[in-house]
């Protein structure tokens, strides 16, 4: 249960429209009374994601996730509940100061401390870089790489000195425990239990999340102090730093990405900073990790157009190209820039200026042409076997394109280039298996549980109570919570019965924490009942549920009777059971005749 005043939640829900909030993240199409989209939480080609403006909820019939506007934000932005409330309250223009209570969730407070530790560490490294005499070589290195003082400040670059415990001592003085130092990744623990700095003799690049908070560091060794360590040392993954979700620099660049409607993907920190400083600001650095669905979703909120700067050598090219498959599957429009051998964006901008870089970007080829170019270099298109090889490689890419028009035009182009009839390519395309390299995990946890055991009548009854409050008071009179078989429905009904005032279904959602229950409620809420005579359905459902409950009791009594008869003796008990048995039979008859 939340510790945020209910009034606040209700105010927020009243002022905001879930349709507006959701459509600021994903495009919604009107479908009758509701809105539809492809679900952002599982991979699909046809939309099973419904947003209901009447009920102010969303639900996906594909993966089962659902809930109110708060749940949507929590899931989409990966926020904790209070964070989502805060963001929506701001949007709604509602002021509230969150009370700090002891029962705030553990995860919440750990993340908070980890952010603090990283922030303090960044301040420490920044201070060393600017003030410490041993950082002279680092300052020289950075200015030699063309970094302006403004960039050093903006990207909060720092330096970790040679000392083994400089940062550790600093953070201990700030009251950070050794356990947290290690947990945050800025320190390590030796086998003797000694805690020491992870980064030494390195230029420090803080890694930001897309909201601009520091979540980790990349430390680059300086040639002059090189003692044989790796070129880069990075923070390990922690509660707040996940590589699969982090894109370096996006907090600085997202508004420019949105404005220019494309995003240039580079690799390293300096590949980001140098062009950014030169005025090419719609960038993001992948830090060498392959694109994950989380990365793609993050970028997709701002643009669907990507330009990848490719610096793989010949050997690494095809693997690198294959790592772009998820982008195609997600419908991103991908173009590729191939810089001259030996250059990366950093050195390219220093050599050719921002205009030179931007010219190369204008000349970027789309992924299809780029890949075809590579294959034509490698295989001879007049040798049948090699021609087949080219076709096979290209078709595996084409297969992943979901847009039929784009697909058709690629087929046509491939057909012309290697001189093979389109029909033959289409036949081959059928045979291409979609690789499993990028199979999304479905959230199966949402698909199990509640719905299996609940009878249709129980669900229907609950839907009716959500639809019209008069059925809640009728329900209170005619059927008790215990008569419901499904534990979830029992719980929700109990809540409805006990609520002091009539509660809007959507408010119930904000009180539920269990995602399964949330999903269950939202599925009931979006389902179009399509009933004309609701009163009759209500009566039918009540009768059916009661009938089932009685039937179950009868079965149980029959078992008791058998047992008591075997024990032979307790005639009084047996007599009582029979009496009860006949009463139940009579009751059952009433329900059955009512049908
Ligand atoms: Zn879904």
């Amino acid at each position: 249960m939340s510790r945020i005043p209910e009034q606040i939640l209700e105010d927020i829900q009243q002022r905001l429209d879930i349709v507006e909030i959701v459509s600021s993240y994903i495009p919604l199409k009107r479908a009758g009374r509701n809105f539809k989209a492809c679900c952002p939480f599982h991979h699909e080609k046809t939309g099973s994601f419904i947003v209901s403006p009447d009920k102010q909820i969303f639900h996906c019939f594909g993966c089962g996730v659902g809930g109110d506007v708060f749940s949507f934000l929590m899931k989409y932005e990966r926020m904790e509940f209070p964070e989502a409330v805060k963001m929506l309250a701001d949007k709604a223009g509602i002021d509230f100061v969150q009370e700090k209570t002891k029962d705030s969730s553990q995860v919440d407070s750990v993340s908070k401390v980890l952010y603090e530790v990283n922030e303090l560490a960044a301040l420490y490294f920044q201070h060393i870089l600017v003030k410490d005499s041993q950082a002279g070589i680092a300052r020289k290195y950075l200015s030699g790489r063309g970094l302006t003082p403004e960039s050093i400040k903006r990207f909060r670059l720092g330096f970790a000195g040679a000392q083994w415990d400089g940062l550790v001592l600093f953070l201990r003085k700030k009251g950070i425990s050794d356990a947290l130092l290690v947990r945050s990744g800025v320190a390590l623990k030796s086998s003797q239990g000694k805690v020491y700095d992870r980064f030494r003799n390195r230029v420090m690049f803080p890694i930001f999340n897309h909201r601009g908070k520091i979540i980790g560091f990349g430390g680059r060794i300086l040639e002059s102090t090189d003692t044989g360590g790796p070129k880069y040392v990075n923070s390990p993954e922690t509660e707040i730093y996940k590589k699969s979700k982090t894109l370096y620099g996006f907090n600085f660049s997202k508004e420019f990405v949105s404005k220019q409607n494309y995003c240039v993907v580079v690799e390293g920190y300096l590949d980001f900073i140098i062009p950014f400083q030169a005025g090419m600001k719609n960038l993001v650095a992948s830090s060498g990790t392959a694109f994950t669905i989380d990365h793609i979703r993050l970028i997709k909120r701002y643009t669907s157009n990507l330009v990848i700067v490719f610096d793989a050598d010949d050997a690494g090219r095809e693997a690198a190209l294959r790592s772009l498959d998820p982008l195609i599957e997600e419908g991103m429009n991908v173009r590729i820039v191939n810089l001259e051998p030996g250059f990366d964006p950093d050195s390219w901008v220093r050599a050719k200026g921002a205009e030179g870089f931007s010219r190369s970007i204008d000349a970027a080829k789309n992924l299809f042409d780029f890949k075809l170019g590579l294959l034509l270099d490698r295989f001879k298109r007049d040798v049948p076997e090699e021609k087949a090889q080219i076709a096979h490689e290209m078709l595996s890419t084409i297969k992943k394109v979901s847009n039929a028009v784009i697909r058709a035009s690629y087929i046509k182009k491939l057909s012309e280039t290697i001189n093979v009839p389109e029909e033959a390519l289409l036949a081959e395309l059928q045979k291409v298996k979609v690789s499993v390299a990028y199979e999304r995990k479905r959230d199966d946890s949402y698909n199990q549980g509640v719905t299996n055991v609940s009878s249709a009548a129980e669900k229907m009854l609950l839907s009716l109570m959500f639809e019209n409050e008069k059925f809640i008071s009728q329900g209170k009179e005619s059927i008790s919570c215990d008569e419901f078989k499904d534990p979830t429905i029992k719980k929700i009904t109990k809540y409805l019965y006990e609520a002091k005032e009539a509660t809007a279904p959507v408010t119930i959602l904000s009180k539920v924490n269990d995602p399964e229950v949330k999903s269950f409620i939202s599925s009931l809420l979006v389902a179009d009942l399509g009933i004309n005579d609701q009163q009759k359905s209500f009566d039918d459902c009540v009768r059916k549920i009661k009938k089932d409950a009685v039937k179950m009791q009868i079965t149980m009594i029959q078992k008791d009777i058998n047992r008591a008869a075997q024990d032979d003796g307790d005639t009084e008990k047996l007599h009582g059971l029979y009496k009860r048995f006949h009463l139940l039979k009579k009751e059952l008859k009433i329900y059955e005749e009512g049908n």
Side-chain angles (χ1 to χ4, degrees):
M1 294 291 138
S2 71
R3 58 203 136 92
I4 294 159
E6 277 175 28
Q7 194 51 48
I8 299 274
L9 301 180
E10 279 176 32
D11 286 353
I12 293 172
Q13 275 169 328
Q14 232 155 45
R15 289 202 207 169
L16 295 177
D17 181 5
I18 190 169
V19 174
E20 221 168 90
I21 302 291
V22 173
S23 63
S24 70
Y25 293 104
I26 54 171
L28 293 175
K29 272 201 201 102
R30 190 170 259 291
R33 281 166 63 193
N34 294 332
F35 289 85
K36 236 182 175 178
C38 280
C39 178
F41 305 119
H42 84 279
H43 182 62
E44 62 173 5
K45 297 216 163 116
T46 52
S48 24
F49 182 86
I50 308 284
V51 180
S52 157
D54 307 344
K55 312 246 169 74
Q56 288 295 308
I57 50 145
F58 72 96
H59 184 81
C60 171
F61 287 98
C63 63
V65 359
D68 56 13
V69 69
F70 301 109
S71 342
F72 179 82
L73 221 65
M74 284 163 72
K75 216 165 152 53
Y76 200 100
E77 293 269 22
R78 293 167 197 287
M79 289 174 161
E80 298 296 329
F81 182 64
E83 215 183 336
V85 174
K86 176 83 184 60
M87 188 168 158
L88 291 173
D90 285 350
K91 263 205 172 97
I94 292 169
D95 241 7
F96 86 101
V97 185
Q98 206 183 303
E99 329 157 39
K100 285 197 177 161
T101 50
K102 272 179 275 162
D103 64 336
S104 69
S105 80
Q106 198 106 44
V107 189
D108 235 19
S109 51
V110 169
S111 307
K112 221 178 128 210
V113 179
L114 293 184
Y115 285 126
E116 272 168 29
V117 174
N118 277 285
E119 174 63 29
L120 285 170
L123 287 171
Y124 171 81
F125 294 136
Q126 280 182 286
H127 180 84
I128 301 271
L129 178 68
V130 179
K131 296 272 153 73
D132 204 294
S133 59
Q134 63 170 329
I137 39 162
R139 291 194 288 268
K140 217 170 129 196
Y141 164 79
L142 290 172
S143 65
R145 294 293 295 253
L147 276 129
T148 62
E150 294 75 49
S151 289
I152 291 173
K153 218 168 166 184
R154 179 198 298 261
F155 297 102
R156 304 191 58 184
L157 306 191
F159 185 66
Q163 216 181 318
W164 279 84
D165 55 1
L167 178 63
V168 166
L169 291 178
F170 172 79
L171 289 174
R172 276 185 192 150
K173 244 185 254 162
K174 298 274 174 195
I176 310 292
S177 69
D178 281 10
L180 276 167
L181 287 176
V182 175
R183 195 159 174 181
S184 69
V186 298
L188 294 160
K189 195 174 190 170
S190 73
S191 48
Q192 285 88 38
K194 208 170 143 53
V195 174
Y196 61 99
D197 290 9
R198 177 183 295 273
F199 305 99
R200 284 184 316 280
N201 272 327
R202 286 171 186 275
V203 172
M204 299 302 295
F205 296 86
I207 299 164
F208 304 85
N209 68 13
H210 66 277
R211 286 193 281 274
K213 280 190 175 165
I214 297 174
I215 51 177
F217 294 90
R220 189 193 193 284
I221 205 148
L222 288 177
E223 277 79 5
S224 46
T225 57
D226 195 347
T227 44
K231 190 171 168 197
Y232 275 98
V233 166
N234 287 310
S235 291
E237 297 216 333
T238 64
E239 279 95 333
I240 57 170
Y241 176 40
K242 301 266 181 280
K243 289 188 175 117
S244 66
K245 291 177 187 157
T246 307
L247 286 168
Y248 179 77
F250 205 50
N251 57 310
F252 297 107
S253 62
K254 56 189 181 187
E255 55 173 304
F256 301 103
V257 167
S258 166
K259 225 180 273 166
Q260 311 239 45
N261 195 19
Y262 73 92
C263 180
V264 179
V265 182
V266 297
E267 212 180 304
Y269 306 120
L270 287 173
D271 294 333
F272 180 94
I273 295 174
I274 297 291
F276 190 95
Q277 160 185 301
M280 280 271 323
K281 294 186 174 176
N282 49 330
L283 305 161
V284 81
S286 66
S287 307
T289 49
F291 271 101
T292 64
I293 180 125
D294 289 313
H295 290 146
I296 299 170
R297 274 194 197 137
L298 188 57
I299 296 180
K300 225 177 173 179
R301 287 185 225 160
Y302 300 87
T303 186
S304 299
N305 303 310
L306 284 186
V307 178
I308 314 251
V309 180
F310 214 63
D311 57 357
D313 52 11
D314 286 345
R317 270 175 175 174
E318 267 155 64
L321 277 181
R322 231 163 284 136
S323 74
L324 302 179
D325 282 352
L327 295 166
I328 308 170
E329 286 171 43
E330 281 296 319
M332 301 293 273
N333 169 26
V334 181
R335 293 190 301 142
I336 306 226
V337 175
N338 212 7
L339 296 178
E340 278 171 29
F343 280 99
D344 55 25
D346 165 22
S347 53
W348 189 252
V349 168
R350 278 186 288 132
K352 314 265 172 180
E355 302 81 54
F357 191 36
S358 118
R359 265 198 305 279
S360 330
I361 284 162
D362 291 341
K365 283 184 181 167
N366 74 41
L367 180 64
F368 177 89
D369 290 332
F370 185 79
K371 189 170 177 185
L372 187 57
L374 288 185
L375 291 166
L376 291 174
D377 285 346
R378 221 176 96 198
F379 298 106
K380 296 190 188 73
R381 63 183 118 173
D382 46 1
V383 179
E385 288 75 19
E386 301 205 1
K387 191 189 274 203
Q389 195 68 41
I390 297 174
H392 179 78
E393 280 288 327
M394 290 314 294
L395 289 171
S396 75
T397 296
I398 295 172
K399 183 97 181 179
K400 292 182 180 106
V401 177
S402 56
N403 185 310
V405 177
I406 298 177
R407 219 194 246 221
S409 70
Y410 282 171
I411 291 280
K412 182 160 183 281
K413 195 163 186 185
L414 181 60
S415 147
E416 283 161 5
T417 311
I418 59 174
N419 197 19
V420 169
E422 283 182 46
E423 297 72 45
L425 291 175
L426 286 169
E428 280 303 304
L429 187 66
Q430 298 294 324
K431 295 188 210 161
V432 177
K433 286 201 191 93
V434 177
S435 75
V436 288
Y438 186 60
E439 221 175 89
R440 250 144 303 206
K441 269 186 271 158
R442 257 175 79 142
D443 242 344
D444 273 328
S445 56
Y446 288 108
N447 295 329
Q448 300 147 356
V450 272
T451 40
N452 304 342
V453 281
S454 56
S455 81
E458 294 188 1
K459 272 203 252 179
M460 174 71 85
L461 195 71
L462 194 54
S463 300
L464 286 164
M465 290 199 276
F466 280 146
E467 188 84 6
N468 189 333
E469 357 171 316
K470 79 170 180 191
F471 292 124
I472 300 179
S473 43
Q474 286 189 24
K476 269 196 243 181
E477 282 161 24
S478 54
I479 187 161
S480 80
C481 301
D482 292 330
E483 285 173 280
F484 291 92
K485 263 189 296 190
D486 183 309
T488 307
I489 295 185
K490 197 179 280 189
K491 224 192 290 176
I492 301 170
T493 313
K494 194 159 181 265
Y495 181 83
L496 288 176
Y497 282 4
E498 285 170 2
K500 284 189 204 81
E501 298 163 65
T503 345
V506 68
T507 359
I508 297 168
L509 271 177
S510 63
K511 298 195 171 78
V512 173
N513 288 326
D514 185 346
E516 276 185 30
V517 178
K518 255 192 199 321
S519 154
F520 179 73
I521 297 179
S522 62
S523 74
L524 286 183
L525 289 175
V526 289
D528 193 357
L529 289 174
I531 315 167
N532 294 324
D533 192 343
Q534 296 195 339
Q535 187 65 55
K536 184 179 180 302
S537 303
F538 180 83
D539 297 340
D540 287 347
C541 288
V542 170
R543 200 179 314 114
K544 171 89 170 71
I545 296 165
K546 282 184 166 289
K547 195 171 85 182
D548 288 348
V550 170
K551 269 188 185 165
M552 203 155 85
Q553 286 184 54
I554 291 176
T555 321
M556 267 147 61
I557 289 232
Q558 275 172 326
K559 276 187 194 149
D560 287 346
I561 290 174
N562 289 343
R563 221 173 291 135
Q566 270 169 13
D567 291 347
D568 90 327
D570 200 345
T571 36
E572 205 172 312
K573 186 180 176 192
L574 204 55
H575 187 73
L577 285 170
Y578 271 121
K579 206 168 149 192
R580 175 123 183 75
F581 178 76
H582 286 298
L583 277 174
L584 284 167
K585 278 283 199 190
K586 235 185 240 167
E587 201 183 337
L588 182 63
K589 216 168 164 195
I590 296 170
Y591 297 134
E592 279 173 342
E593 275 163 3
N595 272 349

